[in-house]
Amino acid sequence: MRQRVTERATGRERHVVVHTLGWELAEIRRSVWRAVTVPGSERNTAVQSLKAAGAALLAWAVAGWWWEAPMALLAPWTALFLMHHTVYRSLLSALQQFVVVLVGTLLAAGAGALTHNEMAAMALALPITVLLGNYARFGSNGLYAPTAALFVLVYGSYTGADILHRLLETLLGAVIGIGVNALILPPVHVRRVTQLREELPRSCGELLHQVADGLRADHGQEQARRWYENAQRLTDVVTDLREARRWADESYRINPARRLRRIPPEPPAAWDFVWDQVTEHIMRTTRALTEAAPRPPLPADARDALAELLRAAGDVCLLDDHLQEDGRRDEDRTRECRRALAGASAAHRRLTTACAHGQRVLTPATGGVLADTRRLLSALVRIADPDAVFEAQGARQSRTEQRVGR
């Protein structure tokens, strides 16, 4: 009996292992196919990997084959690890790595000259270089300080000429790595920003439409909870957008390909902040609906007004991303967006009247729905008519400056 149980367990484990390996192989096959056929992160990773390998081979050809340097390994080793996703990051990493290699080499050489014993020199140099490697300013490159010290002490060569060779070989690898990254298909990360810019308004609009349809169908608490979970994911998209923008801005720095590539028009700097507000108010509104779900529902006229409000708000979101190639706005879609916002504002007034004159007591959850939808409409004004908002802000600022001047 025990043997049968053991055999069954072994069979299940074998099945799990085979299933996992099959899944991994399928994912690898899909990633390779996407890298070959579709621009995206898979292709970027493949290109950077091939560039890193090419830079290492070139560094070895120069340092080991042509120069015949005594520590030629340092050149391809440095070039390989400097192939970052941005040219700016490669340059910054090269400076950090050169500093830590210099300090690690000098400390190891000093310890070796002082002790004349490999073990004693390691005991003296490694604690200092490891502590130096953990210095936050050096980031992950701090690891090269103890590594460089180990190279010096293990090979037992720390004369002035040997130290100079190591530094020159490291510098050669850094120059080759940065050059390959900057001159051969230099990375510019704008595609992710564009994708998230398109995804965020669409996801917000679709969720608001989904909530509006659910309100007309007498939603339950479980459905309201799903709306809230989806709204929380929208805030994650805003976070991803900010991170993608940081990568895009960094990829423009010291990048010779910036003038050669056509960059899509960008919304104003306040765009991310506005959508941060929109997603936050959507999340608060769905949370208020979740809190109100177990209680008696809103009056029919109030529920219909709220559904109309959220559907019109969803229309505003879906009409936001309408920048043309020259950066100007599509006037027709701008007018549709403003009409949708006007409809949402009218629905909010009907919702307020229905809740105030209904036969039911205004609960905290109902009051939360009124307040959160009001804040949502205030944020949507910046989407429907951003120029008017910015002009009004500028006029208020000018009046303030005039009063201060008086």
Side-chain angles (χ1 to χ4, degrees), residues 42-65:
E42 292 86 359
R43 179 176 293 182
N44 293 338
T45 301
V47 169
Q48 290 299 107
S49 300
L50 294 176
K51 286 167 59 177
L57 289 173
L58 179 60
W60 175 257
V62 174
W65 178 67

Side-chain angles (χ1 to χ4, degrees), residues 7-48:
E7 291 176 354
R8 290 175 184 173
T10 304
R12 285 195 298 268
E13 292 174 358
R14 188 182 299 112
H15 176 73
V16 170
V17 170
V18 171
H19 178 74
T20 303
L21 288 176
W23 182 83
E24 287 290 341
L25 291 175
E27 284 296 316
I28 293 172
R29 186 168 58 252
R30 281 192 290 267
S31 296
V32 172
W33 176 254
R34 286 195 296 266
V36 174
T37 59
V38 181
S41 59
E42 292 86 359
R43 179 176 293 182
N44 293 338
T45 301
V47 169
Q48 290 299 107

Side-chain angles (χ1 to χ4, degrees), residues 209-223:
H209 285 174
Q210 180 182 355
V211 176
D213 295 338
L215 287 172
R216 297 183 185 278
D218 291 334
H219 70 286
Q221 187 177 15
E222 185 62 30
Q223 188 176 11

Side-chain angles (χ1 to χ4, degrees), residues 120-345:
M122 284 189 181
L124 183 62
L126 286 182
I128 300 175
T129 53
V130 171
L131 286 173
L132 176 66
N134 288 321
Y135 183 50
R137 293 291 184 183
F138 293 139
S140 60
N141 292 302
L143 177 64
Y144 298 117
T147 306
L150 283 173
F151 272 127
V152 171
L153 295 174
V154 168
Y155 282 93
S157 55
Y158 38 80
T159 64
D162 293 329
I163 293 174
L164 181 60
H165 262 292
R166 287 186 176 88
L167 296 180
L168 288 177
E169 290 149 13
T170 301
L171 184 61
L172 173 65
V175 170
I176 291 176
I178 294 172
V180 169
N181 200 25
L183 300 178
I184 301 177
L185 298 176
V188 176
H189 301 286
V190 295
R191 187 173 290 108
R192 179 62 174 165
V193 176
T194 304
Q195 291 173 349
L196 292 174
R197 276 183 50 202
E198 296 174 354
E199 176 185 348
L200 189 56
R202 182 179 64 252
S203 299
C204 289
E206 290 174 353
L207 177 59
L208 289 172
H209 285 174
Q210 180 182 355
V211 176
D213 295 338
L215 287 172
R216 297 183 185 278
D218 291 334
H219 70 286
Q221 187 177 15
E222 185 62 30
Q223 188 176 11
R225 187 180 295 111
R226 286 197 296 269
W227 295 338
Y228 178 59
E229 292 173 354
N230 292 334
Q232 286 180 309
R233 296 190 186 97
L234 294 178
T235 61
D236 296 335
V237 176
V238 176
T239 303
D240 293 341
L241 176 60
R242 288 172 176 166
E243 182 66 22
R245 281 194 189 279
R246 281 195 289 267
W247 273 107
D249 293 341
E250 184 176 300
S251 68
Y252 291 151
R253 300 179 189 175
I254 324 175
N255 193 332
R258 180 176 182 178
R259 297 180 179 274
L260 302 178
R261 297 191 182 185
R262 188 177 66 176
I263 301 173
E266 292 286 339
W271 195 88
D272 292 356
F273 178 71
V274 170
W275 278 99
D276 188 14
Q277 290 181 315
V278 171
T279 55
E280 178 68 21
H281 298 324
I282 292 175
M283 185 179 67
R284 290 178 179 272
T285 300
T286 54
R287 183 170 61 189
L289 292 175
T290 303
E291 296 171 353
R295 297 176 176 83
L298 291 170
D301 52 351
R303 189 168 61 250
D304 292 341
L306 179 58
E308 185 178 346
L309 187 160
L310 295 180
R311 174 160 290 279
D315 293 338
V316 175
C317 294
L318 293 173
L319 290 167
D320 169 66
D321 196 15
H322 49 277
L323 289 176
Q324 299 176 351
E325 288 296 327
D326 56 1
R328 296 181 301 176
R329 292 183 175 274
D330 187 332
E331 293 298 330
D332 293 336
R333 296 191 65 176
T334 299
R335 284 192 291 270
E336 292 180 18
C337 192
R338 291 172 181 171
R339 282 197 294 269
L341 180 62
S345 299

Side-chain angles (χ1 to χ4, degrees), residues 96-110:
Q96 293 172 338
Q97 186 171 335
F98 185 77
V99 169
V100 297
V101 168
L102 173 63
V103 175
T105 300
L106 293 178
L107 286 174

